[in-house]
Amino acid sequence: MRVPELMPLPGEQAMAAGQRAEGAVADVLAALGRATGRGIVVDSPPGAGKSALVVRAAADLATAGEPVMVVAQTNEQVDDLTDRLASNDPVLHIGRLSAQDYVTSPRIARHGQVTVSSKLASLTGCPVVLGTAAKWATVGDDVSWPWAIVDEAYQMRSDLLLRIAGRFERALFVGDPGQLDPFSTVETERWTGLTWDPMQSAVAVLLRHNPDIEVRTLPVSWRLPASAARVVAEAFYPFSGFEAGTGPGDRRMEFSARAFGSSPVDEAVEMAASSGWALYELPARHTLRTDGEAVSACAALASRVLRRGAATWSERAPSGAPVTADRIAIGTAHRDQARAIRSALGAMGLEGVAVDTANRLQGREFDVTIVLHPLSGRRDATAFHLEAGRLCVLTSRHRHACIVVARTGIPELLDAHPSTEPVHINVPAKFPDGWEANHAVMAHLAQWRVRAL
Amino acid sequence: MSTLVSLARAQAVDVGRAQPVATVRHVHLSGRPMMFVPLALAGEACAPLAAMVGDHPRAPQLLVVTQPRNRTQRFGFAAELADIVVPYIEGYLGDVEILPGSGRREPRTRCADAPQILMPNRAGVSFARLLGRSTRFRRAEGDYAVPATVPVLGRWLTFLAERAEYPGSCLMLAATDMLTMHWATGQSPVEDLNLAALLGWIDPPDGRTGPEAALAAEDPVRWPPAGPATDPTFDNEVLARLIAAGNQAAASGDDRAERRARVALEQALASQLAPTWRLLWRAADLLRGLPPGGHVAARWDADKDAVTWHAGQLRDGGPPQPRRDSAVTAARRLARLERVQAACAAQRAFDDPLVMAEHRLTGEAFAGEVVAVEPGRLDTSGRRAKLRPRVTVRTWDPVLVDEGAALISPARPRQDARVVSVANAADGQPAQVVLELAGGMGHGRTAPAGTIPEVGDFDCYATFSDGYQPPPAFPELEQTPWTHGGPPVPYQPVPYQPTDEEAQEEWS
Amino acid sequence: MDSTGIRLDRIRGPVTPRNHSARTIAALSGNPGCARRAVLDAAGVDKQGLAAHVGFPAMAGQSQFAITRGNAFEAQVKANGCAELLTLLREHLSLPIREASYDNLDEVGGNTSREVRHAWTRRLLARAAQSGDDAGTLFDHPLLCLRVGGRPAYLEPDLIAFQLSGRFHVTEIKSFSVIDGQADGDKVAAAVIQSAVYVLAMRDLLAEMGIGPESVADQVVLVCPENFSNRPSAALLDVRKQMTVLRRQLSRLRRIDSLVDVLPPGLTFDLELDRAGVPRRLPAAVAGAVRSVDARYAPECLANCEMCFFCRDEAAGTTSALGRATRDDLGGIEHVATVLHLARGAGQPADDQAEVAQLLRTAARLRAECLGEAV
Amino acid sequence: MPESIEQLDQRAEELRAQVRQALLRGDREGARALRGELRRAERAWHDAIELDEPGPRAGNQAPRGPLLPLREQVHQALTLLTVPAGPRLISSVHEALFVGAIPAARLTSVRRDEERSFRTAPFARPYYLCAALTADLLAPARGLLAVSTWPMERRVIGPLSPRADYLTAAVQIAKNVQRIPMPSTDAMRLLWRFAVNIPGATVEAAQVDPAAVARAAQSELEVHANADTKTRRSAAIRARRQLDEAQQLFGSRLGTVLSAEA
């Protein structure tokens, strides 16, 4: 585990980590230059500068005269990369391959150097072309690109890679192995054990057929605070691990308004502000997914953070910045839970807080996150609720503080969970195991418990 | 599973009898299905022991293997089975229907009807799959040759078992699946796998409650398991002795003893099969009692297409189905499965209000009374005015659609309904949804009657539809990219290589 | 013996305790939430006999055909100094040719007592581990021992292979088929968790001699017939996950006292067997005793526990009896009666049930509407 | 009056059901009792049938017996193999390379019979079918038969011996198959079964060449030979020193004592 045992002085850590991170990125770019083998996989823990790497790699290859196709999973992600790439190099000609019904977003429109088209033909001459995997899958493979950069490759399904892999010779795959695996609505064991099982992730299929491809890891998370890096690394990245880019003292969060009296909600937000974590624990009860108390607790916590004028100080905002609604996210396991929380916020007249499921919060970043624990109020855990990636996404979106809302009794639930999942031959065992990861996280949260009245 | 179905289970417990979870039949039932009840020898991968098979309730044919571990007899069984099943299937390939071409599509022919094989449970279906796997590569010439019909049977069984993976396909069905799709019992899904118990809940004998009948059905002596697995006490107390007796008789060369042993074995195995055979027909009769759902025929047409295609493969001497899917085949199949599953789920909801109710409960759909209609409303925002009638629906259902969402009404699947506004239910008042309709109204200035709902109608709107999605494009087999292991080696028929054990299976 | 031990003996009654086997240890992870099972296993109660006596016998045994097949396959693979197994280990796991020595630990000079065999096993394995090369490669039916809840459980892996990349590899021989690279996921799971028990026991045994855990691989070799033949095939399976689960469940078993302390004093499942071994105690009394320990019934128990039919009968009328998913759909409400009561909208629901009640009422309304019944 | 065949048949049927029901009740005692009754009913039924169908049986020829007494056959097989072997191997060797199969089941009692006859009249016979001894405890090795006239070195079994003997057996069988002009399928199958478990013995899975098998077996044998003979020789010395005549042939039972100090 690359987690420093001694906590250095504020700032120091950032410098040391900065060098390590830069070194890792430089290595990757060098490896691309050497172009050994058919490609390279870069594992990127939460907020380790994945997009930055993609942008630099694309620019490097383009300037080296190697046309490159960039593949991301959603239009949101593609626009994001396009914007960064354009801002990074104002003269670079960039193609934005889009679907017919795509509406150019303002952040793309403002870059004159970006050509948007649904036809590859009208993007010839652009050394870099970006598009969603789904779109790339529809363009004819008459053109073959020397290089592709595939972003969020761990969320891409093997069968989608199959459809685009013919378009490029070599590729840089970037992604976060700790997040949610791609899934299918179809339940079948027909393909289990096959190296090309279409239900696995693009990276999994790639590595099973090309074991010689080297896998590198970005060692530093710039998003997660020192308070979160270790627990997240230990629970969800047991083998590679990573460290925080900032030291314990480098970030802080404070409230301008003091609490009137003391309520558990205030206690929770204050504890989160000072320690980076809080477990807001509701009395044990078996509930529906849309547990009314849990839902309103999530809403109350969010509103309290805002109403008390939270502000953060960090390497990004040395002189402090207010925590606005758009810097807060509330994460859930299920859509109906998110919907319920949204309407609860609406009833409180709160706008702009991002409320969504783990799947949709992947790859996003906030100052404060409030998590409705997937196992809260359940009597039995299911594979879905235990999935390590789900909890990992929910507990690794924040720069400052994470507040977990849950009913009492999750460790007991985990202990009572029957471990009877089928095991298959020729299927590599998946790590970390969700059951274990959940135990680890709960063990950590136990020390930041606040009991609701 | 859904809360609605779970409530039905609770009600079944209360009433002591299974409760309907469908108002129409969602499976096609052939006028002449073939029932297939196999038994296998415990501990073996796929050693047929016996089977009851046939297409008439009073004329079951009994197949028995006197030496289940004897490979020759195994393929003898396959041959006998082939002589029953293959003619049954081929009987459907004869008469064809001609489909008129549409647009770019050529007119084509396909078989007018298709075979249907019904099995007691999923375990039976996977037995069929394994039997197909163990026979389709066998060859009619060379060492260890088998009758020419055996590989043909193998390829048909493989085809049927593969089709059974597609939601909505009805060429090969498990009775337990068919029944649980239409009724909820007061027991757990695990227990529903027992056909006798399941039918006990759905249709208990007179003077018995569902739970009583189900409990009685768990006594393996009175209700032998529906197979392919046999009851251990039957194996140990009855079967073992009879097989041994057969061996002795054979060794002694005493024909009469041999005949006696065989008869005894046949009787014993028939006693294990007959009850299930009857249950299978009863299951079919129960389902016939329900009217077919609107899309059932369309799905059956897809099955007929599949059969026609596979028959072509066999006719043109194509290779047997490979052992496992190649990368491309797998991806293609997954895409197809996902599309078929979504479409089938939507169709079932559109065909059946009780299924739609499951979606209404989760907010994926809502239904209620139409309280206001503007049939002649025009949208004049664009260059030329467009007919965009609006309807207002009052509903007690949980409404979770957002403004601007596009909905479909099962009553008018070709018409788009866009949500204009939602007034949530509050203090005793139902929710009100205003929708704007587009399409399916002809080109007149106002919508002709019947193309849009009228005030007082009960109308339903869903967030999903069974609309056609074009299949995604995949590379050709020989274009399989390096990320997926490159192109697979093309199939070459190799002479069958049995191992020593396969050639003469001898257990001490 | 500690007070808990005495308590457990009392609960079992004056009969020799059922010792754990790899299968029963593996079963600890099957339904760890069930206090009843935990207590019965900890006390070493004969669940089969108990269930039969209270009138809910478990389904009887295994088919002799399955048993024969299993034994025959193992015998075949091990015949002639494990000729077939050696071929597999050489081809798939690159066992060096010179590593071919074979020790049969089934008996020690005609002696088959567990203690003697265990002692002999210790001796040979220790020698192999310490002197490394040419000190044994294949150990047939070694007898391991793991302390479970204070009592020794003797465990007998099919085989342990040494010098497989320099480590001990637990090898399980199962007679279910691997067809085109696929086998029944549940059967593999059972084999894997059993093997995990062996790995734990192996590591304990070597630890006593100061040999580190790394000398026992956390991958096990599973040998099964291939396709429809009896030709053996081998696969390596990772058991790390199963080992974590087992470790946790075993440590919970050590904390059994917390369970035992809350049991009614004087509780016992003693069947009061007479000399002929016939139970004399009234079934009703025994059943009463069993009921005083909470069970956590789920339909999955039907495949995994001798007490299942008793517990199912007891669970009649609860949503648990309908399966985990159903109970979940019904908001975790315990009794079917309550569910229907709320669905009918009869009376004011307790505020912790208000939401479920709302949902159930709507569900009931929708069903009635669609089935043309009066609401 | 005696029951009719039908009645007897029916009663047996009912009893079978009752046995199963008893087992399902978990009542093993009851099941045992009922089984007894069932067997009686079945016998009665059988007798009734016999009465019912008198006269000579069609196609009933005397089951063809072995041409040699059993021990002779075993001796033949072992002499061919030149190494200790188990019943299954012995019977398949005899079936493949001599006339007639030996039912493996019948071999289980051979060793006991031989030991009895030796103890009653030592060395009365030219040879005895005796035990192979484990090198460590000099106890009878499970399920192995050997010939008393063999040198002790050949009859003790060290850890490497099972493999070494397997290879030796392969060589022997290969040589014998080579001698036969038209080897039977049984013979080829036996050889093939050895070949697949010896590296480099099979050219291609299809057919096997005896010479190739012998060569391959020989070359692996050389890998193990030294270590194996070393163990065997020292064990043999111990055996001759420590064991009386009977024990030298049928093994000692001192296992308990020896392992106690383990």
Side-chain angles (χ1 to χ4, degrees), chain B residues 101-415:
Chain B
S102 60
R104 258 177 273 89
R105 265 173 106 206
E106 296 290 305
R108 61 199 175 91
T109 63
R110 76 170 163 213
C111 47
D113 195 5
Q116 178 177 53
I117 296 186
L118 302 184
M119 312 205 58
N121 48 36
R122 283 191 187 189
V125 174
S126 27
F127 175 84
R129 185 175 54 80
L130 282 181
L131 192 59
R133 164 62 180 82
S134 70
T135 48
R136 69 176 186 263
F137 296 110
R138 301 307 302 268
R139 324 191 73 211
E141 65 280 347
D143 295 353
Y144 310 101
V146 296
T149 49
V150 169
V152 177
L153 173 76
R155 293 173 67 168
W156 275 114
L157 287 181
T158 305
F159 164 77
L160 293 169
E162 278 191 5
R163 279 299 294 179
E165 293 174 21
Y166 288 87
S169 168
C170 296
L171 293 173
M172 178 177 271
L173 285 169
T176 48
D177 286 351
M178 290 196 288
L179 293 169
T180 49
M181 191 187 293
H182 297 83
W183 286 278
T185 65
Q187 63 185 3
S188 70
V190 178
E191 291 151 309
D192 283 346
L193 296 176
N194 176 337
L195 181 57
L198 178 56
L199 273 164
W201 272 99
I202 296 172
D203 180 22
D206 300 343
R208 277 260 177 102
T209 67
E212 287 165 355
L215 200 61
E218 282 182 353
D219 173 358
V221 179
R222 275 150 70 212
W223 285 102
T230 48
D231 172 55
T233 64
F234 172 76
D235 285 7
N236 300 344
E237 299 304 316
V238 183
L239 190 57
R241 287 183 55 77
L242 291 173
I243 291 181
N247 290 347
Q248 284 169 7
S252 75
D254 177 344
D255 300 351
R256 233 157 37 202
E258 212 171 337
R259 208 178 322 111
R260 272 208 306 271
R262 182 179 177 86
V263 172
L265 183 62
E266 282 173 350
Q267 282 171 352
L269 288 167
S271 76
Q272 296 297 295
L273 288 160
T276 308
W277 171 263
R278 288 192 292 272
L279 290 176
L280 207 42
W281 286 100
R282 202 155 116 239
D285 292 342
L286 279 169
L287 286 157
R288 277 214 178 73
L290 292 167
H295 286 87
V296 168
R299 292 200 294 267
W300 184 243
D301 285 343
D303 280 332
K304 293 191 293 188
D305 282 324
V307 170
T308 313
W309 179 84
H310 186 249
Q313 285 288 302
L314 281 163
R315 206 181 323 98
D316 309 345
Q321 300 95 329
R323 287 176 164 72
R324 300 289 299 269
D325 288 349
S326 69
V328 173
T329 323
R332 274 220 187 85
R333 191 192 300 272
L334 175 55
R336 209 180 307 127
L337 279 167
E338 284 178 327
R339 276 170 29 244
V340 170
Q341 176 163 300
C344 182
Q347 290 172 353
R348 286 182 52 229
F350 284 17
D351 290 352
D352 186 341
L354 194 46
V355 176
M356 181 59 87
E358 297 179 34
H359 300 280
R360 288 168 62 186
L361 189 60
T362 56
E364 293 161 288
F366 64 87
E369 186 191 348
V370 176
V371 291
V373 182
E374 306 171 61
R377 181 181 170 280
L378 295 176
D379 174 353
T380 52
S381 58
R383 239 180 267 96
R384 46 181 291 276
K386 295 188 239 74
L387 180 61
R388 291 287 180 271
R390 284 190 171 177
V391 297
T392 309
V393 181
R394 296 167 99 249
T395 177
W396 289 104
D397 297 354
V399 177
L400 299 173
V401 295
D402 304 321
E403 294 181 5
L407 308 180
I408 297 283
S409 167
R412 299 175 302 282
R414 305 279 153 267
Q415 187 173 69

Side-chain angles (χ1 to χ4, degrees), chain C residues 282-299:
Chain C
L282 281 180
V286 182
V290 175
R291 278 197 203 84
S292 64
V293 188
D294 289 345
R296 187 189 175 97
Y297 172 79

Side-chain angles (χ1 to χ4, degrees), chain A residues 189 192 292 378-379 415 418, chain C residues 29-30 182 185 248 327-328 355:
Chain A
E189 288 185 350
T192 46
R378 299 193 56 82
R379 183 170 187 279
D415 274 340
Chain C
S29 60
Q182 283 186 308
R248 194 169 184 96
R327 180 179 178 128
D328 200 34
E355 291 159 343

